[in-house]
Amino acid sequence: MALVGLSPIASHADQKADDIKTLLGLTGRDAAQIERDVDVRTNTSLQAFVDAHPDLTGTEVEKLHSAVMANGQAFVAGYEEALVDYYSATLTDEQVLQTITFFQSPEGQAYRKASRELGQVSRDYIKGNLPTLFNALKASFADALKGHVLQPPNPGAKSG
């Protein structure tokens, strides 16, 4: 019995989308991971807002929480859809399947672990070295602009 309304093209697109979602899961970019990241950030922001407004009632806080959750879920769904669309347009079926195979292999697992660790190394490096970069830029700018009198920007002035 044939399924009415389903074309081979639609089922192929659905299969590729499912494969891409598998790939996203293997690389930590799946909806569940994104949702966890969004939840942490939005809940932290919401808590800061609630702390800054102690006069809010329990009902108001619940409404705010519901709104944050609904908007977060909509954001995650849209983000995942954008990733699936991008990978669908840029990777062939074979590339998606080969990449899944790689990330499921011991080598792919090692790569994922190293990538996560590299992320922390990168954040630590940037955090530790940004002050040095800013101080060097500040000194370079001061040296390059010696003799110039700098005026604050005039928002009403017309450019060019």
Side-chain angles (χ1 to χ4, degrees):
M1 177 174 162
L3 295 174
V4 178
L6 291 181
S7 69
I9 294 172
S11 70
H12 173 260
D14 291 343
Q15 181 59 54
K16 188 170 185 180
D18 289 345
D19 290 342
I20 291 169
K21 288 177 184 176
T22 297
L23 177 58
L24 293 174
L26 290 168
T27 58
R29 293 187 194 114
D30 62 319
Q33 181 59 47
I34 296 165
E35 190 169 336
R36 284 190 293 275
D37 293 345
V38 168
D39 283 351
V40 167
R41 288 183 177 94
T42 55
N43 285 328
T44 300
S45 298
L46 177 60
Q47 189 59 54
F49 182 83
V50 169
D51 290 347
H53 299 86
D55 55 322
L56 291 170
T57 67
T59 301
E60 291 168 328
V61 171
E62 286 176 24
K63 285 180 183 178
L64 288 171
H65 184 263
S66 293
V68 164
M69 296 304 293
N71 285 291
Q73 289 169 350
F75 172 83
V76 169
Y79 184 73
E80 182 181 53
E81 184 178 333
L83 291 177
V84 169
D85 290 348
Y86 173 78
Y87 282 126
S88 289
T90 57
L91 298 175
T92 65
D93 296 358
E94 188 61 28
Q95 289 169 326
V96 171
L97 294 175
Q98 287 178 0
T99 306
I100 289 170
T101 299
F102 169 73
F103 279 113
Q104 290 174 333
S105 71
E107 295 82 5
Q109 300 280 325
Y111 177 83
R112 287 178 53 213
K113 181 177 185 266
S115 291
R116 283 191 303 273
E117 292 168 358
L118 179 61
Q120 187 59 52
V121 168
S122 297
R123 286 186 293 280
D124 291 346
Y125 179 84
I126 291 167
K127 184 178 177 183
N129 288 285
L130 271 180
T132 303
L133 172 63
F134 288 137
N135 288 332
L137 287 171
K138 184 176 161 184
S140 296
F141 284 5
D143 186 52
L145 299 173
K146 271 189 217 172
H148 290 273
V149 177
L150 299 178
Q151 300 294 324
N154 181 354
K158 294 181 182 177
S159 62

